[in-house]
């Protein structure tokens, strides 16, 4: 069981698309650790936290059963395993969709057309639940990998598999006909009483939230003549109000604001036209409201 020595145990994907990004996120959140050559247990040197590197499929059940206190895994795997866990935070990576696909030459056009047919998948629970909801009864063919090959091997009429870029489906001559589920990596926590470790889990969640919030924003700094500040302030969609800072040059003021990354493209020309100069756009490390 987790936490015997008071350390928060966090399960992290050891392989697959989420592995590297998960470790990078934990580092960005301020945890310090060194990966051993083969060790699955990775202690953090600056916090009472231990990482346990395991298969992402196993993580929801480990968290549910109290084998670990918390974990990073795919939202679809929580649904697939039916695990009773607390989803604390969407992490913004590992995005994928569970999609139905058929051979390009097939006449099937939508999920509704799968009624009475054979569907190969490695995700039977979420597939059945989505097909049930669509009023579709299909015969599920369970495979643990290379699902995309099933129609060509004569094992099924269609597949239901995770799609990220779509290149696996395209490379195997499959045409996508419908989305059953959307997923991304999430931080999950145990529903059990974590005692003193609960505070450490709250801290981990806050730190991760801060990194994710910062990733979507940029910090803007600019100088402007004092009489242009009101107009510039109105343009800035800041968190709260922008800061206005005095400069040594008395006629000039500096404005600072954190803005959404996707707004920068439209915003910079407007700021410039409204009198801003020396505009700096900087990365933020954390945003903790
Ligand atoms: P892609 O070619 O990028 O659409 O990726 C499809 C393949 O990667 C399929 O075999 C999926 O099972 C797997 N895959 C895609 N996204 C994920 C994910 N977020 N987590 C785990 N496996 C994934």
């Amino acid at each position: 069981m987790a936490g015997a020595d008071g350390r928060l145990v966090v399960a992290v994907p050891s392989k697959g698309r989420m592995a590297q990004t998960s470790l990078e996120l934990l580092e960005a959140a301020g945890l310090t650790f060194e990966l051993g050559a083969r060790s699955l247990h990775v202690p953090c040197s600056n916090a009472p936290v231990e990482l346990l590197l395991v298969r992402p499929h196993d993580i929801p059940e480990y968290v549910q059963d109290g084998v670990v206190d918390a974990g990073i895994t795919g939202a679809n795997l929580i649904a697939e395993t039916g695990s009773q866990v607390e989803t604390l935070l969407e992490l913004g990576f590992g995005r994928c969709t569970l999609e139905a696909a058929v051979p390009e030459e097939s006449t099937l056009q939508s999920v509704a057309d799968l009624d009475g047919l054979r569907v190969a998948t490695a995700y039977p629970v979420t597939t059945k639940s989505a097909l049930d909801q669509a009023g579709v009864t299909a015969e599920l063919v369970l495979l643990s990998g290379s699902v995309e090959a099933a129609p060509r091997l004569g094992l099924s009429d269609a597949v239901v598999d995770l799609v990220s870029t779509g290149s696996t489906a395209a490379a195997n001559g499959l045409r996508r006909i419908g989305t059953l589920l959307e997923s991304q990596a999430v931080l999950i926590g145990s529903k059990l009483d974590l005692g003193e470790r609960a505070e450490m889990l709250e801290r981990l969640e806050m730190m991760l939230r801060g990194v994710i919030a910062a990733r979507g924003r940029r910090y803007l700094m600019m100088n402007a003549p004092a009489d242009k500040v009101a107009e510039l302030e109105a343009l800035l969609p800041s968190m709260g109000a922008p800061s206005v800072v005095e400069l040594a040059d008395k006629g000039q003021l500096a404005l600072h604001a954190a803005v959404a990354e996707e707004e920068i493209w439209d915003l910079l020309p407007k700021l410039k036209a409204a009198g801003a100069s020396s505009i700096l756009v900087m990365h933020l490390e954390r945003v903790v409201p």
Side-chain angles (χ1 to χ4, degrees):
M1 291 291 274
D5 57 358
R7 295 169 74 85
L8 185 81
V9 184
V10 183
V12 181
S14 56
K15 53 174 76 167
R17 292 177 184 240
M18 289 179 286
Q20 184 67 24
T21 327
S22 299
L23 290 171
E24 283 167 8
L25 178 64
L26 292 166
E27 275 184 332
L31 288 173
T32 308
F33 50 85
E34 269 183 48
L35 298 179
R38 262 185 292 273
S39 175
L40 302 180
H41 292 270
V42 180
C44 296
S45 56
N46 64 332
V49 175
E50 178 164 313
L51 309 180
L52 181 71
L53 304 183
V54 284
R55 286 177 63 233
H57 274 77
D58 296 331
I59 291 176
E61 279 166 332
Y62 281 11
V63 173
Q64 169 188 273
D65 298 343
V67 176
V68 298
D69 300 314
I72 293 177
T73 189
N76 67 303
L77 297 175
I78 302 164
E80 187 61 34
T81 53
S83 300
Q84 297 303 307
V85 298
E86 213 71 67
T87 296
L88 301 172
L89 182 63
E90 294 187 329
L91 299 176
F93 65 90
R95 286 181 197 276
C96 57
T97 46
L98 188 68
E99 295 196 33
V102 296
E104 264 151 18
E105 63 281 8
S106 165
T107 54
L108 303 171
Q109 295 298 335
S110 71
V111 171
D113 296 340
L114 299 177
D115 204 42
L117 299 179
R118 295 166 306 156
V119 175
T121 186
Y123 301 96
V125 176
T126 35
T127 299
K128 179 165 182 337
S129 145
L131 291 181
D132 282 352
Q133 269 190 16
V136 171
T137 309
E139 181 194 332
L140 295 190
V141 179
L142 298 192
L143 299 176
S144 59
S146 302
V147 172
E148 60 279 1
R152 198 158 289 159
L153 297 173
L155 295 173
S156 71
D157 306 292
V159 303
V160 168
D161 199 7
L162 292 180
V163 174
S164 173
T165 61
S167 58
T168 303
N172 286 279
L174 296 175
R175 173 165 51 81
R176 290 144 64 188
I177 58 166
T179 297
L180 304 187
L181 184 85
E182 295 191 347
S183 179
Q184 63 174 292
V186 287
L187 174 71
I188 56 175
S190 170
K191 290 194 164 187
L192 304 175
D193 180 7
L194 297 184
E196 291 181 357
R197 304 192 307 288
E199 192 271 328
M200 199 49 61
L201 179 53
E202 272 173 35
R203 192 185 300 196
L204 176 68
E205 181 192 336
M206 182 185 80
M207 294 299 193
L208 294 178
R209 202 178 280 281
V211 174
I212 291 160
R215 282 183 177 170
R217 295 204 177 91
R218 293 290 181 270
Y219 196 67
L220 276 182
M221 293 168 69
M222 71 209 73
N223 294 347
D227 61 347
K228 299 282 186 190
V229 165
E231 191 182 338
L232 287 166
E233 268 185 45
L235 283 173
L236 284 169
S238 173
M239 301 164 54
S243 311
V244 181
V245 184
E246 283 200 25
L247 296 176
D249 175 354
K250 283 299 171 208
Q252 293 266 316
L253 291 168
L255 275 100
H256 297 190
V259 305
E261 182 186 5
E262 66 266 17
E263 299 193 43
I264 300 277
W265 174 261
D266 282 333
L267 196 55
L268 282 197
K270 288 184 191 160
L271 293 172
K272 195 126 188 66
S277 62
S278 303
I279 304 173
L280 304 181
V281 183
M282 286 175 288
H283 283 276
L284 284 165
E285 200 164 307
R286 310 274 174 95
V287 175
V288 181

